[in-house]
Amino acid sequence: PAPTYTLKSCLEQGLLNNYSLRIIRNEEQVSKNNATLGNAGYLPTLDLSAGYKGTIDNTETKARATGETTKDNGVFDQTLDAGINLNWTIFDGFNITANYQRLKELERQGETNTRIAIEDLIANIAAEYYNYVQQKIRLKNFRYAVSLSKERLRIVEERYHIGNFSRLDYQQAKVDFNADSAQYIKQQELLHSSRIQLNELMANNNVNQIIVIKDSTIDVHSDLLFDDLWNATLSTNASLLKADQNTVLAQLDYKKINSRNYPYLKLNTGYGYTFNKYDINANSRRGNLGFNAGVTVGFNIFDGNRRREKRNATLAFKNRRLERQELELALRSDLSNLWQAYRNNLQLLNLERQNLVTAKDNHDIAMDRYIQGDLSGFEVREAQKSLLDAEERILSAEYNTKLCEISLLQISGKITKYLEQ
């Protein structure tokens, strides 16, 4: 049997399986793996090395005291060494500290990127879920339109055969029935496309899988408050949080450049063994085992780029702050526009619900008069069209209101409330 889905179950499956979200989560894990003391440069490096060297020489030696010259051919000398070496940058003008802070900030930004991806996915699944509900309702409305046209065609056909209606009435009723049937068939295609899109967002391997949606209506919430939404946007919006993190990263880049104004201190030490074997030396072999250590203190006096890089880093920091302010203004604009659309659609929805009652009454009256022969087929068709148009306007108003609601909750960082339903 086809699985039955609620919005919550669609969201849970999508958050678990969606490929794009899984990629983002892997990237977040990479940023977590990178945020280590070793990657920042706090820890020393320890190397173990070993080597062998052999030389074959032809030598000529002249003794200073006697002037005697000695020649040796194919002298084979060998050297074998092994050791362990430690190198540690103890201080480099706070560059290591800035590096570590930057890695931790990138780790936090990885979490923010995942949150943004999660909120985008929730919004997309919710929008497509209610689009699927909308397409199902529209299919039901078109099926109803076909049934009305079929009934009208039946009445006309019966009366045409007994001579009460003309051939023109019969042909027009048949045209209208075929038109409604074609619309119904086209709507089946739209419903199919929506189902495929929903399956894809949930990462169902079989995108053609038949699914049953529990909701049969679009539930619109009319209790949102603008001030609450805006305050939540300022405090929890993920894009604003990412903009703040970009500002911090720009500050740390400036700090890294400034670290070159300070001296650096490096420690190196090692312990090793060296073995030499001589072919004609007075000593046939020699071995050294020992410890070595050293300290390097330095200061970069001039590198030709520092002043330029500091100016650019300052400008980059200012740009990140401006981008944050620009984003806040854009979010205020988006929230205001969506709020206006949300309120307008709620008002339209109330009006269209009243219109639907009137349109149904008009259609019932028109059908009664049509059956009695007091109304033409054209006028019945107009009444039927008015009823279907009223149903379509209600459906569009409900869906548009829901889209505004989803966008308002996403901007304000409250989109995860759909997981609590």
Side-chain angles (χ1 to χ4, degrees):
T4 300
Y5 286 97
T6 62
L7 176 58
K8 182 178 180 181
S9 60
C10 286
L11 293 174
E12 288 173 344
Q13 181 168 331
L15 292 175
L16 184 64
N17 298 327
N18 183 269
Y19 291 106
S20 296
L21 184 56
R22 286 159 68 181
I23 292 171
I24 291 291
R25 282 178 170 147
N26 287 340
E27 291 174 352
E28 177 190 352
Q29 188 59 48
V30 169
S31 65
K32 285 179 186 264
N33 295 341
N34 287 338
T36 63
L37 294 174
N39 194 32
Y42 269 116
L43 303 181
T45 60
L46 188 63
D47 298 305
L48 176 66
S49 62
Y52 170 80
K53 177 182 177 182
T55 61
I56 299 177
D57 298 311
N58 296 325
T59 65
E60 180 179 308
T61 305
K62 182 177 181 179
R64 184 182 299 275
T66 63
E68 182 182 356
T69 301
T70 304
K71 293 183 179 181
D72 297 286
N73 295 325
V75 177
F76 183 37
D77 293 336
Q78 302 175 69
T79 301
L80 177 68
D81 62 80
I84 187 167
N85 297 285
L86 182 143
N87 295 282
W88 192 3
T89 300
I90 298 175
F91 179 75
D92 68 344
F94 307 107
N95 181 56
I96 295 176
T97 303
N99 264 338
Y100 186 64
Q101 291 173 341
R102 192 174 191 279
L103 291 171
K104 296 300 287 184
E105 195 63 32
L106 287 172
E107 179 184 1
R108 285 186 283 270
Q109 193 168 82
E111 295 170 355
T112 304
N113 288 335
T114 300
R115 182 185 155 194
I116 290 173
I118 288 173
E119 292 180 352
D120 285 344
L121 182 61
I122 291 175
N124 290 335
I125 290 178
E128 194 55 50
Y129 178 88
Y130 285 109
N131 180 47
Y132 188 71
V133 174
Q134 174 190 221
Q135 301 302 341
K136 277 187 64 180
I137 296 172
R138 186 171 287 128
L139 184 68
K140 180 182 176 182
N141 291 342
F142 287 155
R143 187 185 302 119
Y144 177 59
V146 171
S147 69
L148 293 177
S149 298
K150 186 177 182 180
E151 176 63 16
R152 176 183 160 210
L153 179 60
R154 184 190 64 79
I155 294 171
V156 171
E157 189 174 11
E158 287 181 355
R159 296 198 174 183
Y160 168 68
H161 289 308
I162 62 175
N164 285 353
F165 278 128
S166 67
R167 182 173 178 80
L168 179 61
D169 290 327
Y170 174 69
Q171 291 289 78
Q172 186 59 51
K174 195 170 185 179
V175 167
D176 292 339
F177 171 74
N178 289 338
D180 289 341
S181 299
Q183 202 169 28
Y184 176 72
I185 294 172
K186 185 176 181 181
Q187 181 57 31
Q188 288 178 313
E189 179 184 343
L190 294 175
L191 182 63
H192 177 77
S193 297
S194 179
R195 188 182 77 244
I196 289 176
Q197 180 65 21
L198 191 56
N199 276 321
E200 183 181 356
L201 287 170
M202 292 190 294
N204 282 332
N205 290 329
N206 179 15
V207 293
N208 285 307
Q209 176 180 305
I210 301 298
I211 58 177
V212 177
I213 295 296
K214 188 174 182 181
D215 291 302
S216 57
T217 59
I218 299 177
D219 183 22
V220 175
H221 299 287
S222 58
D223 56 350
L224 300 181
L225 298 174
F226 182 83
D227 289 340
D228 289 347
L229 292 170
W230 178 239
N231 290 333
T233 299
L234 290 176
S235 60
T236 62
N237 179 271
S239 295
L240 277 180
L241 179 60
K242 185 175 180 179
D244 289 334
Q245 291 165 344
N246 284 334
T247 303
V248 173
L249 289 172
Q251 284 179 309
L252 293 172
D253 286 340
Y254 182 81
K255 185 176 179 181
K256 281 170 60 66
I257 294 171
N258 268 346
S259 69
R260 299 207 294 256
N261 294 331
Y262 296 87
Y264 57 84
L265 175 63
K266 297 182 180 181
L267 170 68
N268 57 82
T269 182
Y271 188 80
Y273 176 73
T274 303
F275 175 78
N276 295 290
K277 186 176 181 181
Y278 307 108
D279 203 3
I280 61 171
N281 200 296
N283 299 316
S284 63
R285 65 181 63 186
R286 179 180 178 179
N288 296 318
L289 177 65
F291 173 82
N292 65 82
V295 175
T296 302
V297 179
F299 183 78
N300 182 266
I301 298 174
F302 178 75
D303 61 9
N305 285 319
R306 197 177 312 172
R307 182 176 297 180
R308 174 187 61 81
E309 291 177 359
K310 283 182 66 175
R311 285 197 297 262
N312 289 345
T314 301
L315 291 172
F317 172 68
K318 289 180 179 178
N319 282 343
R320 299 298 86 77
R321 292 181 61 183
L322 290 172
E323 287 170 359
R324 202 274 183 196
Q325 294 169 1
E326 182 183 34
L327 177 60
E328 182 178 328
L329 184 63
L331 288 172
R332 176 76 183 198
S333 176
D334 290 343
L335 195 71
S336 297
N337 287 330
L338 286 167
W339 178 256
Q340 185 63 41
Y342 171 73
R343 299 306 303 174
N344 286 347
N345 277 297
L346 283 176
Q347 293 178 10
L348 285 173
L349 189 54
N350 291 330
L351 287 174
E352 294 302 341
R353 283 170 177 164
Q354 297 173 24
N355 287 339
L356 180 60
V357 175
T358 304
K360 283 182 177 179
D361 290 341
N362 289 343
H363 180 265
D364 291 342
I365 294 171
M367 282 300 295
D368 288 341
R369 293 182 61 189
Y370 181 68
I371 293 172
Q372 295 171 7
D374 295 335
L375 213 62
S376 68
F378 176 77
E379 291 170 308
V380 169
R381 181 65 178 178
E382 283 299 309
Q384 179 185 340
K385 187 175 183 303
S386 295
L387 174 60
L388 295 174
D389 286 347
E391 291 174 337
E392 177 62 28
R393 288 195 301 270
I394 277 188
L395 188 56
S396 295
E398 285 177 340
Y399 183 62
N400 290 336
T401 305
K402 197 66 183 180
L403 288 183
C404 290
E405 174 195 315
I406 291 169
S407 297
L408 287 170
L409 292 178
Q410 184 178 11
I411 289 177
S412 59
K414 296 182 176 183
I415 193 73
T416 53
K417 71 177 293 185
Y418 289 126
L419 286 167
E420 302 168 2
Q421 297 179 354

